[in-house]
Amino acid sequence: MRATGTFTVKSFKPAALEPDPAVTTALPVGVATMEKHFEGEIEGRSATLFTAAYDQDKGVGTYVAMESFEGALGGRRGAFNFVHSATTTGSDRAAEFFTVVPASGTGELTGITGTGALTVDTDGTHRIRLDYELG
């Protein structure tokens, strides 16, 4: 099955977390929490733990995010986790990864598995696509 939707970032809060041991690289590493709201065939909200090595000025870096989603998917209610990551060199998006965490589904989404993608349109609209199965 496939579900699509759009989402907005309702909050992005950098976290004061220092790696131990401290290692200096050419790109700073940061951690943040996010709240997103989803509309469409994927409807609900998520709490996200976001990590990145990123240069804000050049738009170069890589992120890894773990999301805990709750809401409805294709009309079925529940919650599940998904992880995604991508790399950019400033004008592209590569090495994209998106998967539902096995055994993370609850309610009517128990047994969910799948993959997906996040994209951003030229007008700034954020989109999600989820190809999933319910076990």
Side-chain angles (χ1 to χ4, degrees):
M1 295 181 275
R2 175 172 281 183
T4 60
T6 60
F7 67 92
T8 55
V9 176
K10 293 298 182 182
S11 69
F12 182 92
K13 298 176 185 171
L17 180 64
E18 298 287 331
D20 186 21
V23 176
T24 302
T25 63
L27 291 177
V29 174
V31 177
T33 60
M34 299 170 70
E35 179 182 350
K36 295 179 185 174
H37 289 198
F38 297 83
E39 295 180 347
E41 297 166 323
I42 302 170
E43 181 182 354
R45 66 183 183 151
S46 71
T48 307
L49 296 175
F50 183 86
T51 60
Y54 192 73
D55 182 319
Q56 292 281 351
D57 296 329
K58 296 178 182 174
V60 174
T62 298
Y63 81 88
V64 177
M66 176 66 68
E67 298 207 28
S68 299
F69 170 86
E70 68 178 359
L73 178 60
R76 296 175 186 234
R77 298 202 63 75
F80 61 92
N81 301 109
F82 63 96
V83 62
H84 54 97
S85 64
T87 295
T88 182
T89 58
S91 61
D92 64 347
R93 193 168 158 96
E96 295 178 86
F97 177 80
F98 184 120
T99 194
V100 173
V101 176
S104 66
T106 68
E108 294 174 309
L109 301 176
T110 297
I112 189 170
T113 60
T115 60
L118 300 176
T119 59
V120 181
D121 295 347
T122 56
D123 68 359
T125 302
H126 288 68
R127 298 190 182 279
I128 183 171
R129 183 194 83 242
L130 183 59
D131 297 311
Y132 68 98
E133 293 182 19
L134 292 167

